[in-house]
Amino acid sequence: MANDASAVSDARSPAVSNDKLADPFTPPADSSLWRKNFLLGAATASYQIEGAVDEDGRLPSIWDTFSAKPGKVLAGDTGAVACDHYHRWEADVDMLASLGLEGYRLSIAWPRVKDAAGLPNRKGLDFYKRLLNRLKEKGITTFVTLYHWDLPQHLEDRGGWLNRDTAYRFADYADLMSRELAGTVDAWATLNEPWCSAYLGYGNGHHAPGLADGRFATQAMHHLLLAHGLALPVLRANDPASQKGIVANIGRGTANSASAADQRAAHLFEVQHNAWILDPLLKGAYPQDLFELWPGTEPLVLDGDMQTISAPLDFLGINYYFRTNVASDGAHGFRDVPLEGVERTQMGWEVYPDGLRDLLTGFKSTYHNLPPIYITENGMASDDKVIDGHVDDTQRISFLKLHLAAVNQAIKAGVDIRGYFLWSLMDNFEWAFGYERRFGVVHVDYSTQKRTIKRSAELVAKFLKERKARV
Ligand code: FCB
């Protein structure tokens, strides 16, 4: 019998071991995650789930253009239909609520809410109004990201994030959205992961718009951060009751050896991934080491820009996925040295929860004005299959438990972390990897649009229910 060992321990202490066997997720009793005000939610993004790209006056975005180009996205996938959330949003909100998730992080598609002349598109605005009103009716805390990478193509045609004017257009867009949606948004995030927009979009061409030049990357980053800084006071004026912040992805870089050169390489990796964004926001200056790594790429910065960019934040959103082990490349930079024998996900990313804890505690000592933090994304992709109506995503359950334990350790070490959003509520269009990579805690069958709650989501729901029931 497979259960011999458990039968023995059951006999000694039935309640505890039964619970452990049935539930590999629930955090230990002393974890801060039991605090009722620690927000647990799930995240999505417009282009990854909405579909309906031609409906109700939505304009093309850079991701429509990019994904239509052969060879840019795995299997030629596009976001044209995605999870059809634009039509299924009511059922999706019911599903979110049925899981007991307390927070929902979504993004607005800029090309849905403004026409090419910059005038409001009522039909697009109404979609988000209906969605946010329903979320509020369900008592769900709403985090709204204004820019999760779907830039209107007509702005890209005028230079996109290489054109300083795009930052001002973004502030106009933030103005419209915060006037229209005030009262239904608990927290506004200006940008999602400017590192990806600037570096993957303009530096190496892996993402839309697909340009590849180091100088483009730093200039695009500057305009993205400027857009953020210009939008902040607008959001504050129009919607004073909500929190305002930005979401940054962070990467852990570890050195392949104790040599000074490899240590320096790991430092430069983290400068490129973290300090490039966090230093301007929290110190008002770009890290000079960045330009040692990429000589001659200093962006054009006008007087006052750094002050605009470094205005105080109410929160900082942090997205964390994996670490990269690096060595010196023998010149000014670093090269990846993938470790053997470590656990990896469907993306090939290493499962490394300590990286999240170490980065968070490191930021607390580096940035004395570190704002309260929300983990706005964390999760993993696995090749999940529905078998007899169930999805047993064992690796994800362990991944989430380990990363939540890392968050708890960071809280215990004094970092002010107020919540955590699973990436993602449901499987969706994973950018250059299309639909093959499944990040959801809910499975999506793209041929029928049927949603199936995975085991990970059931266990998160069970924990939330237990937490809620506590006095
Ligand atoms: C992040 C993105 C998110 C999703 C996850 C896996 O970089 O913000 O949209 O693709 O990665």
Side-chain angles (χ1 to χ4, degrees):
M1 251 177 63
N3 273 340
D4 277 1
S6 55
V8 172
S9 60
D10 278 1
R12 281 187 211 135
S13 155
V16 173
S17 52
N18 273 340
D19 190 47
K20 270 193 185 157
L21 285 174
D23 182 355
F25 173 75
T26 295
D30 63 347
S31 169
S32 334
L33 304 173
W34 283 99
R35 278 185 346 216
K36 283 190 181 164
N37 61 357
F38 184 87
L39 184 71
L40 251 171
T44 61
S46 46
Y47 191 70
Q48 295 181 276
I49 64 165
E50 286 178 0
V53 291
D54 295 325
E55 259 172 80
D56 292 340
R58 179 189 176 279
L59 301 176
S61 82
I62 55 174
W63 270 95
D64 298 296
T65 311
F66 184 74
S67 60
K69 288 187 187 153
K72 297 295 182 193
V73 175
L74 204 66
D77 291 342
T78 75
V81 178
C83 307
D84 195 30
H85 174 74
Y86 192 72
H87 301 116
R88 294 167 194 267
W89 64 273
E90 290 179 276
D92 288 339
V93 170
D94 288 347
M95 178 175 79
L96 182 77
S98 76
L99 293 172
L101 290 164
E102 300 160 337
Y104 183 48
R105 173 173 175 245
L106 63 105
S107 80
I108 310 264
W110 186 350
R112 228 183 249 300
V113 295
K114 277 198 168 224
D115 70 15
L119 297 171
N121 173 16
R122 270 296 134 206
K123 286 185 174 166
L125 286 168
D126 285 348
F127 169 69
Y128 295 108
K129 283 191 177 180
R130 286 194 298 272
L131 174 61
L132 285 157
N133 281 328
R134 181 67 59 84
L135 287 162
K136 291 321 295 171
E137 278 162 32
K138 300 267 181 195
I140 292 168
T141 300
T142 52
F143 273 57
V144 173
T145 307
L146 284 166
Y147 184 70
H148 201 126
W149 308 352
D150 37 5
L151 186 72
Q153 179 62 44
H154 66 91
L155 292 181
E156 182 58 36
D157 295 341
R158 281 184 262 152
W161 291 109
L162 297 177
N163 183 350
R164 188 178 170 93
D165 188 57
T166 301
Y168 296 94
R169 298 290 72 79
F170 179 80
D172 293 345
Y173 158 58
D175 179 45
L176 173 70
M177 297 319 296
S178 50
R179 276 188 287 111
E180 294 283 339
L181 301 179
T184 59
V185 177
D186 294 295
W188 292 97
T190 51
L191 308 176
N192 177 69
E193 302 190 351
W195 186 90
C196 291
S197 303
Y199 184 68
L200 302 179
Y202 293 84
N204 75 4
H206 184 62
H207 278 185
L211 302 179
D213 184 314
R215 282 182 54 244
F216 288 178
T218 54
Q219 193 63 59
M221 175 66 85
H222 185 65
H223 292 151
L224 281 151
L225 294 175
L226 181 65
H228 155 81
L230 292 169
L232 270 187
V234 172
L235 296 171
R236 287 199 192 286
N238 291 342
D239 190 8
S242 60
Q243 298 184 72
K244 288 95 194 159
I246 184 170
V247 170
N249 56 307
I250 56 167
R252 181 67 170 143
T254 52
N256 194 45
S257 81
S259 76
D262 286 357
Q263 298 290 324
R264 176 81 185 149
H267 166 75
L268 288 175
F269 176 92
E270 291 195 357
V271 166
Q272 202 255 74
H273 284 78
N274 309 330
W276 183 17
I277 299 94
L278 298 182
D279 277 16
L281 290 170
L282 301 173
K283 290 184 172 171
Y286 286 103
Q288 284 312 303
D289 289 356
L290 184 70
F291 307 113
E292 179 183 321
L293 184 67
W294 292 334
T297 65
E298 287 85 347
L300 178 65
V301 175
L302 302 191
D303 278 356
D305 283 1
M306 299 316 290
Q307 215 178 340
T308 303
I309 290 171
S310 58
L313 300 166
D314 301 331
F315 76 94
L316 175 65
I318 288 290
N319 296 352
Y320 173 80
Y321 287 96
F322 60 98
R323 74 130 157 211
T324 308
N325 188 59
V326 298
S328 164
D329 67 356
H332 295 295
F334 54 81
R335 64 185 168 87
D336 292 9
V337 185
L339 293 171
E340 310 253 321
V342 296
E343 183 186 352
R344 293 186 184 276
T345 69
Q346 190 191 16
M347 295 295 284
W349 295 347
E350 184 187 346
V351 177
Y352 191 68
D354 287 358
L356 176 56
R357 179 202 56 211
D358 296 345
L359 286 169
L360 290 168
T361 50
F363 295 155
K364 186 171 159 59
S365 45
T366 308
Y367 303 109
H368 301 297
N369 53 348
L370 188 68
I373 285 176
Y374 287 88
I375 308 301
T376 33
E377 285 180 29
N378 178 234
M380 56 156 282
S382 45
D383 186 16
D384 300 319
K385 305 259 186 314
V386 183
I387 298 170
D388 295 335
H390 298 282
V391 181
D392 196 4
D393 52 341
T394 330
Q395 193 189 9
R396 179 171 295 101
I397 295 164
S398 143
F399 181 101
L400 297 177
K401 185 175 176 114
L402 292 170
H403 286 78
L404 281 161
V407 169
N408 180 48
Q409 287 166 8
I411 294 174
K412 297 245 149 105
V415 186
D416 182 1
I417 307 169
R418 308 219 172 149
Y420 174 101
F421 292 81
L422 303 156
W423 183 270
S424 172
L425 173 63
M426 55 187 151
D427 297 337
N428 57 49
F429 176 77
E430 178 45 37
W431 308 112
F433 297 97
Y435 296 102
E436 190 197 83
R437 309 293 162 92
R438 294 181 173 274
F439 272 94
V441 292
V442 172
H443 180 277
V444 176
D445 177 336
Y446 295 107
S447 60
T448 60
Q449 290 296 345
K450 184 173 165 40
R451 277 67 162 143
T452 305
I453 310 283
K454 298 182 190 178
R455 178 87 178 121
S456 56
E458 286 172 2
L459 290 174
V460 171
K462 175 174 173 282
F463 163 61
L464 286 168
K465 203 168 165 194
E466 280 171 29
R467 188 172 81 169
K468 208 169 172 191
R470 286 202 168 184
V471 274

